[in-house]
Amino acid sequence: MTRTIPTARGRFAPSPTGAIHLGNVWTALLAWLDARQRGAAFVLRMEDLDPDRSRPHYAAQLLHDLRWLGLDWDEGPEIGGPSAPYRQDERRGLYAEALATLKREGLVYACFCTRAEVRAAASAPHGIAQREQCVNRCWSLSQREQAERIAKRRRPCLRIRMPHTATSIHFDDLCRGPHSEQVSLAAGDFVLRRADGVHAYQLAVVVDDGLMGITHVVRGADLLDSTARQMWLHHVLGFRPPHFAHVPLLIDNVGQRLSKRHASLAVAALRAAGIGAPTIIGWLAHWAGLLSAPQAVRPTELVGLLDLERLPKHDIVIETQMLV
Ligand code: GLU
């Protein structure tokens, strides 16, 4: 039996670390509209990789709130699909396999530097380009030196050993236009697995987007800095990198990115205050330039109106007092 899978595939990949707020819904709506306009399958992937920060009740609330807002998805937790499972917590074996592949290529080393050492180097005036990386040349430790450190109960994180050649990445961001980055300089030897054994976001997101066949990623501009290294990892692991669109962030009138701190802008809080889903979608559509004035609307009524290239290239200030 043959299954028809749409060739274009988009996704929304939230982390269930707090109540879902307007900033999350903004990204979700834009990713959803992009997928629906392309006739793409839309995947919901729960990025609950970090056991210290993820909570099942936030994940459940998130699915409920997105549905309440009128968004839907073709594959995801609860409904399944051809790329199941859709919760990162259940995909750890796949990340371990990818790590083993990178190890075989000689691209992984154990780093015993303490967090304090790494932080001090990154914040020093002429620090290593303000990025976190190994400061004690751990990649050159012998087997014996490694064993000595492990015997002293030092648990290493695992880092990529970024080759210093051929690491220039170019891509056309669907929202921001052409972008180039020298990965070795910008990303350095980034972490693949933390010292506590949890796989890093940078590894997991590439394995997931790669294995799930994601072709279009619409996400916040705060992740633009991660894109070149992710594309590089896609190539090394044998995946075709998706197209990326980094959409502007919503910020409040003192310049803070909308986050869990803005408790009154959580979807649940807005609902409790009597604000309906179409009103919320209308605000978001207005900020995206899809409606000349906010008006109650359902997501399906906006399909066809999104033009990623015409979204603002800068953060969007919203008057948070005006809303509630
Ligand atoms: N899980 C990430 C977040 O919630 C998004 C990762 C991505 O879109 O690549 O910020």
Side-chain angles (χ1 to χ4, degrees):
M1 195 173 81
T2 50
R3 193 166 12 109
T4 31
I5 303 181
T7 45
R9 291 169 65 75
R11 50 82 156 171
F12 178 54
S15 305
T17 57
I20 182 171
H21 55 79
L22 277 188
N24 308 120
V25 181
W26 163 255
T27 316
L29 176 65
L30 297 179
W32 182 88
L33 280 174
D34 181 66
R36 292 296 175 241
Q37 290 181 189
R38 287 180 197 286
F42 192 57
V43 174
L44 194 134
R45 182 172 72 234
M46 199 58 77
E47 298 212 327
D48 56 355
L49 192 61
D50 185 347
D52 300 336
R53 299 177 60 229
S54 303
R55 296 286 175 272
H57 67 274
Y58 286 137
Q61 185 70 45
L62 204 149
L63 299 178
H64 174 265
D65 287 347
L66 291 175
R67 287 197 182 103
W68 178 74
L69 287 162
L71 299 178
D72 62 354
W73 44 95
D74 308 300
E75 302 168 28
E78 297 175 353
I79 56 173
S83 305
Y86 293 90
R87 288 181 49 222
Q88 287 192 327
D89 184 45
E90 297 171 46
R91 299 176 63 81
R92 293 175 196 278
L94 298 167
Y95 311 140
E97 269 176 43
L99 200 52
T101 305
L102 296 172
K103 271 188 192 160
R104 278 196 299 277
E105 303 282 326
L107 288 169
V108 180
Y109 66 96
C111 172
F112 293 87
C113 297
T114 62
R115 273 198 205 170
E117 286 171 327
V118 170
R119 261 196 235 120
S123 58
H126 301 290
I128 316 164
Q130 308 297 311
R131 61 191 146 87
E132 290 219 347
Q133 73 169 356
C134 174
V135 289
N136 294 321
R137 302 180 59 82
C138 295
W139 59 86
S140 60
L141 292 176
S142 66
Q143 296 278 10
R144 191 174 54 81
E145 289 167 319
Q146 289 196 16
E148 280 167 9
R149 280 164 176 75
I150 290 168
K152 283 191 206 150
R153 296 179 177 270
R154 294 279 291 276
R155 283 194 303 179
C157 69
L158 298 180
R159 291 185 183 275
I160 194 88
R161 181 74 181 124
M162 179 65 72
H164 289 269
T165 52
T167 53
S168 188
I169 295 278
H170 308 277
F171 62 97
D172 266 318
D173 190 278
L174 299 176
C175 185
R176 310 192 147 220
H179 196 87
S180 291
E181 211 167 282
Q182 195 66 27
V183 187
S184 51
L185 291 179
D189 289 359
F190 57 90
V191 173
L192 297 170
R193 200 183 71 190
R194 302 188 327 203
D196 62 3
V198 175
H199 296 101
Y201 156 71
Q202 303 289 358
L203 176 71
V205 75
V206 170
V207 171
D208 290 345
D209 284 339
L211 290 178
M212 292 182 177
I214 300 299
T215 58
H216 292 79
V217 170
V218 176
R219 62 185 182 184
D222 52 325
L223 289 165
L224 184 61
D225 285 351
S226 292
T227 304
R229 81 186 74 173
Q230 291 176 8
M231 290 181 71
W232 181 80
L233 263 187
H234 270 281
H235 290 301
V236 175
L237 289 170
F239 300 128
R240 180 200 283 249
H243 299 285
F244 288 93
H246 288 91
V247 301
L249 301 180
L250 299 184
I251 57 171
D252 67 12
N253 37 12
V254 294
Q256 283 205 328
R257 183 182 162 199
L258 294 200
S259 72
K260 283 172 282 187
R261 287 187 303 270
H262 300 81
S264 62
L265 300 183
V267 172
L270 294 169
R271 184 170 49 229
I275 299 171
T279 304
I280 297 175
I281 297 295
W283 291 336
L284 297 169
H286 174 58
W287 296 327
L290 311 184
L291 297 177
S292 53
Q295 72 184 60
V297 70
R298 286 189 310 273
T300 44
E301 295 172 76
L302 300 169
V303 174
L305 301 183
L306 175 66
D307 182 350
L308 288 170
E309 274 183 42
R310 295 188 59 193
L311 283 176
K313 310 283 179 267
H314 48 78
D315 293 344
I316 299 176
V317 184
I318 60 164
E319 293 292 330
T320 47
Q321 304 93 319
M322 211 181 76
L323 307 179
V324 280

